[in-house]
Amino acid sequence: METNPIPILTIQTTPFDDQRPGTNGLRKKTAVFESKKNYLQNYIQSLLSSIDLRDRQGCTMVVGSDGRYFSRAATEVIVQMAAANGIGRLVIGHNGILSTPAVSCIIRKIKAIGGIILTASHNPGGPGGDFGIKFNVANGGPSPDTVMERIHQVSRTLEEYAICLDLHIDLSRLGRHDFDLENKFKPFRVEIVDSVEIYLNMLRGIFDFGAIKSLLTGPKQLKIRIDAMNGVMGPYVRRILCDELGAPANSAVNCVPLEDFGGQHPNPNPAFAASLVDSMKGGEFGFGAAFDADGDRYMIMGENGFFVSPSDSLAVMAANLSCIPYFSQRGIRGFARSMPTSTAIDRVAKAMKVALYETPTGWRFFGSLMDSGRCSFCGEESFGTGSDHIRDKDGLWSVLVWLSIMAVRKQGVEEIVRDHWAKMGRNYFCRFDYEGVDGKAAYYLMRDLEAVITDKAFTTQKFSVGNNIYSVEKADNFEYIDPVDGSVSRKQGLRIMFTDSSRIIFRLSGSGAGTGATVRIYAESYERDPERHNRETQYLYHFLPLIFTAMSELSVLSVFASSSPACV
């Protein structure tokens, strides 16, 4: 206990006009947070002030990071400001490290008012990289729109912030640390906890660890390759997959969290996890996975480099949830997917006679469904999957679901996926990303394109691409009415749906950290014929002429002239 009470200071500041949080919180170049005077402090004060004072006084909050550059400095500021703003207790991961799923788990376990996560997800780290601040609310999930709007409104008029500059904490010292503050009756407490233990205990209650361990260590041992991409997941992979479940230590690579992720882009897809792809192509390993920086996204690969698309992974997992004790005991109440995500899971829901909810992009929409008991399992096309065990995406949980399915079915990854296609058909799916697009041009593009596709004449259009004829069935700007509270989310993405179940989606993304806008175009084509299940996903490039035909009359088409799409 400190002998001299720590003073609480009030520092004058001026507001910033660019602190509106997006889909994944506030995300900027690291230099913005590090170099702009009071930029970090202003946002943290806005976040804390958005919580009703009566709820904030004496409450508990969780803090964690993916270990990227500037996280330690930012964590200290958060501790100092939380103390000054009446937070009673902070629970922080050892060395400041906590995965996003672990933060959600701990919030729910200890009934915290929320949690601050320092991450820019799969974006690069280091001084020249990106930095972000997410706030998960009391249910463990991302902030709903109402909370993000409150934060933004406070940030626009902020004139001062409160801080205890003399309060310092050693993040490497596990245990409780109490601090006396001036004019406070109770000490401010910081608890540094094991980053993995609470999350691991939760997983033990979900999965049959014995079955997974037999798969990884038995006579017909499955050799796995897990790439933590030098993000937060290294300690979790080592402790859970290796120590707990028996996978050899050399099964896990890049497991030391680094501030710049080893100079790599911590994005679990075939382009950025190329070393894992190369390892899997060699045929030595039967199962491979990679995680993003904060551990909520993942990629699955099978023997000989067989890649499982996120939408296929979502559908296959949904069809096999009975392999998981958690679901076999509790039952399945419903599925949900974001609107751009492939409709492959829709076919599973129909076959299982389970409700399917189509939501806007953003995990917060799933949280409402899960809190009301409507949804058990959900996911997005951006390598994110989860269930009602927490209220956020969960990469390692998803990997354990796959290993459980393999243990029960005694099949490899590719065999499981191809069996699924044979039963349900295959949904070819691809996303084309145009980044750094001029913001105004992107806005006018979406406005003008909406005018084209919502014209009554458009629904009679037929497009010829190669040997294929695509007839428009429906076109709109997606609108979502939350079945729980009746709230309406409008203008969530332009949809063109064809009579053969193919789709083209246009959406402006709100998760970038750099300058300019990101326009995402999604293409999906359904194929029932098993003879046509062996084409590469790049087959969907044949949709590009169709896409640009739909846009050909728009004067702002030039916004794409200097940008080549990446098929994700």
Side-chain angles (χ1 to χ4, degrees):
M1 183 79 68
E2 296 286 336
T3 54
N4 297 318
I6 298 171
I8 298 174
L9 306 178
T10 300
I11 308 295
Q12 300 302 305
T13 188
T14 55
F16 294 92
D17 61 5
D18 63 345
Q19 292 195 332
R20 177 188 289 276
T23 305
N24 293 295
L26 185 67
R27 192 178 293 179
K28 302 286 182 182
K29 287 296 181 185
T30 306
V32 174
F33 285 99
E34 188 175 27
S35 303
K36 275 193 176 183
K37 183 180 179 181
N38 293 339
Y39 194 87
L40 170 67
Q41 290 85 345
N42 272 32
Y43 189 72
I44 297 302
Q45 185 63 61
S46 299
L47 189 160
L48 294 172
S49 295
S50 73
I51 304 171
D52 188 279
L53 182 61
R54 292 166 297 182
D55 297 327
R56 192 169 76 228
Q57 292 299 317
C59 75
T60 296
M61 188 174 284
V62 181
V63 180
S65 81
D66 61 13
R68 69 180 57 230
Y69 177 79
F70 193 59
S71 291
R72 280 184 173 269
T75 299
E76 181 164 73
V77 170
I78 290 169
V79 172
Q80 294 171 339
M81 294 187 66
N85 279 274
I87 304 297
R89 176 173 68 138
L90 286 184
V91 176
I92 306 176
H94 190 212
N95 293 315
I97 293 289
L98 277 177
S99 71
T100 289
V103 170
S104 182
C105 168
I106 295 172
I107 290 172
R108 295 172 64 80
K109 175 73 174 178
I110 66 175
K111 295 180 171 53
I113 198 169
I116 297 175
I117 311 169
L118 305 177
T119 179
S121 187
H122 53 283
N123 288 19
D130 299 334
F131 192 80
I133 303 172
K134 289 171 36 175
F135 179 57
N136 280 22
V137 293
N139 74 345
S143 298
D145 291 342
T146 52
V147 173
M148 292 192 291
E149 183 59 25
R150 282 204 303 271
I151 294 172
H152 178 234
Q153 290 304 322
V154 174
S155 76
R156 294 177 61 194
T157 59
L158 191 72
E159 296 182 347
E160 62 186 28
Y161 63 86
I163 191 168
C164 296
L165 288 173
D166 292 339
L167 195 162
H168 302 285
I169 186 72
D170 183 353
L171 297 176
S172 68
R173 287 180 57 207
L174 291 168
R176 296 178 178 178
H177 310 274
D178 289 346
F179 301 88
D180 275 336
L181 309 180
E182 279 187 352
N183 302 318
K184 297 289 183 181
F185 294 110
K186 291 184 178 180
F188 170 67
R189 173 169 291 176
V190 177
E191 294 182 22
I192 308 299
V193 300
D194 184 288
S195 301
V196 181
E197 188 62 32
I198 297 174
Y199 176 73
L200 170 57
N201 283 334
M202 176 191 67
L203 294 179
R204 288 189 182 114
I206 294 173
F207 297 98
D208 182 347
F209 269 25
I212 299 175
K213 188 167 186 176
S214 295
L215 178 72
L216 300 179
T217 62
K220 296 181 180 179
Q221 175 190 0
L222 174 70
K223 294 191 68 175
I224 65 174
R225 184 77 162 182
I226 309 295
D227 190 344
M229 302 192 82
N230 293 120
V232 75
M233 290 308 294
Y236 295 85
V237 170
R238 291 275 190 213
R239 179 87 165 271
I240 298 171
L241 285 173
C242 297
D243 297 347
E244 185 83 9
L245 295 172
N250 61 6
S251 300
V253 297
N254 299 318
C255 283
V256 178
L258 299 175
E259 290 190 335
D260 65 348
F261 309 115
Q264 303 302 310
H265 202 124
N267 194 345
N269 65 38
F272 293 110
S275 61
L276 175 67
V277 174
D278 291 341
S279 296
M280 296 304 298
K281 284 181 177 178
E284 179 184 355
F285 303 101
F287 178 87
F291 301 103
D292 73 341
D294 64 320
D296 60 356
R297 302 173 195 262
Y298 69 102
M299 177 180 72
I300 300 295
M301 299 199 77
E303 192 173 3
N304 300 317
F306 182 84
F307 169 66
V308 183
S309 75
S311 293
D312 273 338
S313 180
L314 181 67
V316 169
M317 290 164 70
N320 291 276
L321 289 179
S322 60
C323 297
I324 317 300
Y326 180 85
F327 295 103
S328 62
Q329 295 164 9
R330 295 164 60 100
I332 299 169
R333 291 182 289 279
F335 297 147
R337 63 167 174 83
S338 62
M339 181 273 288
T341 300
S342 160
T343 58
I345 190 174
D346 300 35
R347 302 179 190 281
V348 177
K350 184 177 181 180
M352 295 176 62
K353 298 181 179 179
V354 170
L356 186 284
Y357 299 90
E358 182 181 33
T359 75
T361 296
W363 209 264
R364 60 192 183 278
F365 294 102
F366 297 145
S368 173
L369 295 171
M370 290 187 285
D371 285 347
S372 67
R374 287 172 167 84
C375 176
S376 300
F377 176 75
C378 52
E380 298 182 330
E381 48 74 33
S382 54
F383 295 87
T385 309
S387 85
D388 58 358
H389 67 291
I390 57 172
R391 294 296 183 270
D392 218 318
K393 301 181 285 288
D394 195 340
L396 184 52
W397 173 90
S398 301
V399 166
L400 294 179
V401 170
W402 266 97
L403 291 174
S404 298
I405 294 170
M406 295 174 73
V408 171
R409 293 185 52 163
K410 304 188 187 314
Q411 292 176 301
V413 171
E414 182 172 357
E415 188 178 0
I416 290 169
V417 173
R418 291 195 179 279
D419 277 358
H420 181 85
W421 291 341
K423 294 174 184 175
M424 299 287 180
R426 181 176 182 185
N427 289 70
Y428 287 92
F429 181 88
C430 199
R431 189 181 88 196
F432 306 93
D433 287 357
Y434 292 86
E435 298 178 334
V437 176
D438 178 78
K440 287 185 178 180
Y443 166 78
Y444 288 124
L445 166 70
M446 297 295 287
R447 184 198 66 180
D448 295 350
L449 182 56
E450 180 178 4
V452 170
I453 70 169
T454 55
D455 187 285
K456 288 183 179 180
F458 188 77
T459 55
T460 64
Q461 292 280 343
K462 293 184 179 182
F463 297 91
S464 177
V465 181
N467 296 324
N468 300 304
I469 301 294
Y470 294 93
S471 300
V472 176
E473 181 176 55
K474 181 181 178 182
D476 63 10
N477 196 331
F478 180 60
E479 180 177 294
Y480 177 68
I481 301 175
D482 193 304
V484 180
D485 60 15
S487 60
V488 180
S489 301
R490 297 183 172 89
K491 295 186 177 297
Q492 295 298 311
L494 304 178
R495 303 187 296 177
I496 304 174
M497 292 161 280
F498 301 95
T499 54
D500 67 344
S501 298
S502 297
R503 298 189 309 160
I504 297 175
I505 310 294
F506 296 81
R507 189 178 73 85
L508 284 177
S509 173
S511 61
T515 58
T518 296
V519 179
R520 303 199 198 280
I521 303 176
Y522 309 81
E524 178 177 15
S525 179
Y526 177 66
E527 184 56 70
R528 190 73 185 88
D529 185 358
E531 296 297 320
R532 298 184 179 182
H533 287 173
N534 293 316
R535 288 181 286 190
E536 294 294 326
T537 303
Q538 281 72 16
Y539 139 79
L540 284 180
Y541 272 97
H542 83 274
F543 265 108
L544 286 176
L546 195 161
I547 291 168
F548 285 107
T549 297
M551 299 162 56
S552 61
E553 298 179 9
L554 306 181
S555 60
V556 292
L557 187 60
S558 60
V559 300
F560 293 134
S562 61
S563 178
S564 298
C567 183
V568 180

